[in-house]
Amino acid sequence: MEIEVLNNISYGMYIITTRKERKNVGCFINTLIQITSKDPIIAISLNKENYTNKILKETKKCSISILTEKANKELIAKFGYFSSKDINKFENIKWEEIDNLPIVTEDVCGYIIGNVIDIIDVNTHDIFLIKIINTKQLTNNPPMTYKYYHEILKGKASKKAPTYIEEKEKFIKI
Ligand SMILES: Cc1cc2nc3c(=O)[nH]c(=O)nc-3n(C[C@H](O)[C@H](O)[C@H](O)COP(=O)(O)O)c2cc1C
């Protein structure tokens, strides 16, 4: 199987957030798709080891910010490589509180607020089905794609991302 073929699947770049009592929680994801258009529902895939997965199962309510090409690697690294269990990811970034949710507004073109309506167990990950209850467009800056993150920002995937593919050693043919 040529697993690298999966690198051709396209994704966007998002930060999902939720709040338990006074604790703001969130992480970086690239796996989000829209499932239905009427009463729109989206699906995301979250690694079971991510703290956001554990808390979202309890709160059942989240916000998803859509990152633009202006977003810097530091913001992505903070939400994509560290755990909300250990650090406050919301320190020194732009965010707002709406509907008792922390929403990242730094370099995002808009956000989605939704309620978890179902969770599907898929081995290492869970698929969360989220019914959209509110949305807002903040800027018209182009949304960042996963390809842009890799090719322009030279970013790497996290081992916890569902789309992670181990890089094979490259041999030079003589
Ligand atoms: C580019 C990139 C894409 C990622 N995509 C996902 C994803 O789609 N689903 C997921 O569960 N984790 C994904 N991650 C990994 C989580 O963001 C990461 O494990 C994070 O540290 C979890 O934080 P938490 O413990 O506060 O939830 C991604 C990370 C990066 C850098």
Side-chain angles (χ1 to χ4, degrees), residues 48-167:
K48 287 179 185 168
E49 288 177 7
N50 287 344
Y51 191 60
T52 308
N53 179 322
K54 175 179 159 41
I55 301 303
L56 188 55
K57 278 180 183 149
E58 297 173 23
T59 63
K60 299 261 171 64
K61 191 175 171 187
C62 63
S63 154
I64 293 157
S65 300
I66 305 164
L67 265 70
T68 70
E69 288 178 357
K70 286 181 188 286
N72 59 58
K73 260 172 103 174
E74 288 69 35
L75 179 72
I76 298 169
K78 191 191 241 187
F79 278 85
Y81 289 106
F82 295 89
S83 182
S84 317
K85 205 162 46 175
D86 310 320
I87 63 161
N88 175 9
K89 299 187 185 180
F90 296 78
E91 217 171 58
N92 302 321
I93 66 153
K94 269 204 245 159
W95 64 278
E96 285 173 25
E97 183 183 319
I98 296 158
D99 290 350
N100 198 31
L101 280 172
I103 296 176
V104 175
T105 51
E106 181 162 318
D107 298 327
V108 311
C109 48
Y111 62 80
I112 297 164
I113 293 177
N115 292 326
V116 175
I117 54 164
D118 210 349
I119 302 171
I120 302 161
D121 184 326
V122 193
N123 306 327
T124 51
H125 289 71
D126 290 306
I127 297 173
F128 288 76
L129 290 175
I130 298 164
K131 186 170 183 200
I132 298 179
I133 54 169
N134 202 355
T135 56
K136 190 157 178 71
Q137 179 90 27
L138 296 176
T139 68
N140 287 320
N141 293 328
M144 190 189 289
T145 62
Y146 200 47
K147 188 179 167 79
Y148 184 100
Y149 169 68
H150 284 287
E151 291 183 359
I152 310 294
L153 293 189
K154 308 284 177 213
K156 296 255 180 256
S158 150
K159 283 191 175 172
K160 289 194 186 153
T163 50
Y164 175 75
I165 294 175
E166 204 170 344
E167 271 185 43

Side-chain angles (χ1 to χ4, degrees), residues 18-37:
T18 188
R19 172 183 283 171
K20 190 187 172 193
E21 287 142 22
R22 298 303 304 159
K23 188 168 172 59
N24 294 332
V25 172
C27 75
F28 192 86
I29 57 167
N30 63 287
T31 48
L32 180 153
I33 50 168
Q34 184 171 349
I35 305 292
T36 60
S37 61

